[in-house]
Amino acid sequence: MSEKDLNQYYITRQDSTESNARSYPRKFPFALAKAKGSWVEDVEGNKYLDFLCGAGTLALGHNDNEVNQAMIEMITNDAPLHTLDLTTPVKDAFVHTLLSLLPPELGNNAKVQFCSPSGTDATDAAIKLCKTATGRSSVISFAGGYHGMGQGPLACMGNLHAKTSVNGLMPDVHSFPYPYAYRDPFGLGGDAAVKAACNFFERTLKDPESGITKPACVILEAIQGEGGVIPAPVEFLKTVRRVTKELGIPLILDEIQCGMGRSGKLFAFQYADIIPDVVLISKAIGGSQPMAVVVYNKELDTWTPGAHAGTFRGNQLAMKAGTIVLNRVSKPDFLADVTRKGELIREKLRDLQKRVSIIGDVRGVGLMIGTEFVDPKAQKDCIGSLPASGEIAGKVQKLCFQNGLIVEKGGRNGSVMRCLCALNITDEDLSKAWSIFEKCVLEVDKEYK
């Protein structure tokens, strides 16, 4: 077999054996052979800059030297690798490192629940925790939200495509408007849109005729990820926290994608200077290995032994690697560099936006950045926004891949290109990625002049 046929060989075999639910191989038709830092290499020797990084999992990029060495030492020293929820010195160090890096008001009064190693299970565990502690059943989530693919998290999801064909999802979930300046659900835009979302949230929860019983919890992302990289305004987060506290409703902050330094702070909710009752953490927390945890105020800890479990909740490699990641990404200099690089990218994107017709909005915080593509030939809505175009975003994505850059879409109709690169990406690699992206956007834009 020719080396040039290897990618197709593996893709064909994958197509014949794996579930139709697979998604990334449809966008990136290659088979990976090597990965280091911000680069991956396929079986044919082609190299790509990776701006997906395991959907934000690889905060320090692929095969970080310090992380790998720590895991090698554990494996070669016969350390226990699978421990259920038994404790070890590695686990103890991880837990106390994590709690020490949280805002003191939470970290000094918190418990940690290790789950099955996915964000989906962290969401399920948190909802179960809040329902158990409050004795209530209803849940409030937000349009555009994404919390995983299990039956409970799916019920809380904004995206209808994934949930429409699944019957019997968790009942009593109510979706509220989320502030989204470019596509304001209230048709107002600007500061008025934020105030409307705040007022709607507060008035509905305090209205005895709202039709919604007092919820067991409210769950939201401080920066929506899959929903299109939409940062929640500080005023909105403060309002949600104030109202839920006044009414005795546990507030869950899903930091699975926007946490662990990606926003330029260790956790994105810190921009609003609020203290949630529950924090969901997964993806980057395991240092490339699978792990998910729920950190919550100990007043909610009314569970009985075994009330929530998971066979692989004792992943020692993930705890060892995760401690290293926590210590590195929490450093002020590291976070300042994430902020610097994010501002640089957004500045370039806004300049590019002025030169093309297909970019409607640029937004984000730190290295969690979204570029929303629109159809420039369509009619604007009531606040002057053009329709989202997944077709145009798809063309840009495909062209980027052909030019050596892996970048993923999200948002309404798949119209938002997302930056999920390694947080420690070098300026040189950042510049290379930008050159590819700019070139591809300009080329696609020519079709719509």
Side-chain angles (χ1 to χ4, degrees):
M1 181 188 301
S2 167
E3 187 180 86
K4 291 185 178 180
D5 298 326
L6 279 175
N7 277 325
Q8 190 56 51
Y9 169 76
Y10 286 109
I11 287 293
T12 300
R13 285 170 65 84
Q14 182 182 36
D15 184 55
S16 66
T17 55
E18 287 192 32
S19 163
N20 198 44
R22 68 193 185 286
S23 60
Y24 292 114
R26 303 180 193 278
K27 306 165 188 175
F28 313 120
F30 62 177
L32 291 173
K34 297 179 181 179
K36 185 67 176 175
S38 293
W39 292 86
V40 297
E41 183 177 330
D42 69 19
V43 290
E44 296 177 5
N46 302 304
K47 295 182 179 180
Y48 302 82
L49 274 164
D50 186 2
F51 267 53
L52 175 57
C53 283
T57 297
L58 304 172
L60 301 178
H62 295 272
N63 288 307
D64 178 80
N65 290 341
E66 184 182 5
V67 169
N68 279 7
Q69 186 57 41
M71 293 192 292
I72 288 169
E73 289 174 3
M74 286 191 70
I75 293 169
T76 55
N77 289 321
D78 293 329
L81 302 180
H82 184 291
T83 64
L84 298 172
D85 59 0
L86 298 169
T87 196
T88 69
V90 168
K91 183 178 189 177
D92 183 79
F94 170 82
V95 169
H96 286 277
T97 299
L98 174 59
L99 293 180
S100 72
L101 293 172
L102 289 162
E105 191 176 334
L106 177 60
N108 293 339
N109 297 285
K111 292 290 187 76
V112 178
Q113 170 73 41
F114 289 86
C115 312
S116 293
S118 73
T120 290
D121 194 62
T123 301
D124 260 331
I127 292 172
K128 283 171 60 178
L129 172 76
C130 293
K131 286 186 174 184
T132 301
T134 64
R136 302 192 290 264
S137 63
S138 63
V139 175
I140 288 176
S141 61
F142 292 86
Y146 181 93
H147 306 287
M149 283 287 189
Q151 293 256 331
L154 197 59
C156 299
M157 180 189 290
N159 189 290
L160 298 178
H161 175 74
K163 62 198 291 186
T164 300
S165 59
V166 182
N167 294 321
L169 293 175
M170 181 177 71
D172 214 3
V173 176
H174 306 274
S175 183
F176 275 47
Y178 187 94
Y180 181 7
Y182 192 66
R183 303 198 182 282
D184 174 27
F186 298 100
L188 299 171
D191 291 341
V194 179
K195 294 188 181 302
C198 292
N199 291 338
F200 183 89
F201 181 81
E202 180 165 11
R203 288 179 181 275
T204 301
L205 285 186
K206 292 181 175 180
D207 182 2
E209 296 286 340
S210 69
I212 300 173
T213 56
K214 187 175 182 179
C217 59
V218 171
I219 182 170
L220 82 161
E221 300 157 273
I223 307 172
Q224 290 189 341
E226 302 295 325
V229 191
I230 309 171
V234 167
E235 182 183 352
F236 180 71
L237 289 176
K238 284 183 174 294
T239 297
V240 170
R241 174 67 287 193
R242 175 181 58 78
V243 173
T244 51
K245 201 161 190 174
E246 286 176 5
L247 299 177
I249 302 167
L251 174 60
I252 303 171
L253 260 295
D254 181 343
E255 293 273 340
I256 292 167
Q257 188 169 113
C258 62
M260 293 298 293
R262 183 153 294 279
S263 72
K265 291 187 180 292
L266 188 58
F267 297 106
F269 69 77
Q270 291 176 294
Y271 278 101
D273 195 27
I274 62 171
I275 304 296
D277 300 293
V278 185
V279 183
L280 311 184
I281 316 171
S282 186
K283 291 190 184 291
I285 190 69
S288 78
Q289 299 302 303
M291 184 163 65
V293 297
V294 181
V295 179
Y296 57 93
N297 189 300
K298 61 186 178 183
E299 292 180 3
L300 296 171
D301 197 26
T302 60
W303 269 345
T304 56
H308 194 79
T311 301
F312 294 100
R313 65 193 185 277
N315 187 340
Q316 297 295 293
L317 288 176
M319 294 176 197
K320 185 70 173 181
T323 302
I324 292 170
V325 173
L326 277 167
N327 282 324
R328 285 190 32 200
V329 304
S330 63
K331 285 183 167 49
D333 288 350
F334 187 98
L335 293 172
D337 200 45
V338 169
T339 299
R340 176 188 67 82
K341 287 181 282 197
E343 289 174 348
L344 177 66
I345 294 174
R346 285 190 299 278
E347 183 180 343
K348 288 179 177 292
L349 282 167
R350 291 187 179 112
D351 176 68
L352 180 60
Q353 181 183 9
K354 295 173 184 175
R355 295 153 50 202
V356 300
S357 61
I358 58 175
I359 295 179
D361 194 32
V362 174
R363 54 183 178 262
V365 183
L367 283 171
M368 192 166 179
I369 302 168
T371 305
E372 184 162 343
F373 288 92
V374 295
D375 182 354
K377 296 182 179 180
Q379 186 174 350
K380 293 182 179 181
D381 65 16
C382 62
I383 58 171
S385 301
L386 288 163
S389 179
E391 178 184 353
I392 292 174
K395 289 180 180 180
V396 173
Q397 181 186 48
K398 183 177 181 179
L399 202 54
C400 283
F401 179 70
Q402 292 170 351
N403 282 270
L405 175 63
I406 300 168
V407 62
E408 176 60 323
K409 302 182 294 143
R412 270 68 172 178
N413 303 313
S415 63
V416 180
M417 208 70 77
R418 298 183 291 147
C419 171
L420 289 170
C421 63
L423 302 184
N424 60 344
I425 187 172
T426 65
D427 284 358
E428 181 183 4
D429 286 344
L430 202 60
S431 179
K432 288 178 181 176
W434 172 254
S435 294
I436 295 171
F437 187 75
E438 180 184 40
K439 170 189 170 184
C440 295
V441 170
L442 289 171
E443 189 168 331
V444 173
D445 186 62
K446 291 177 184 176
E447 300 177 34
Y448 297 87
K449 291 294 188 183

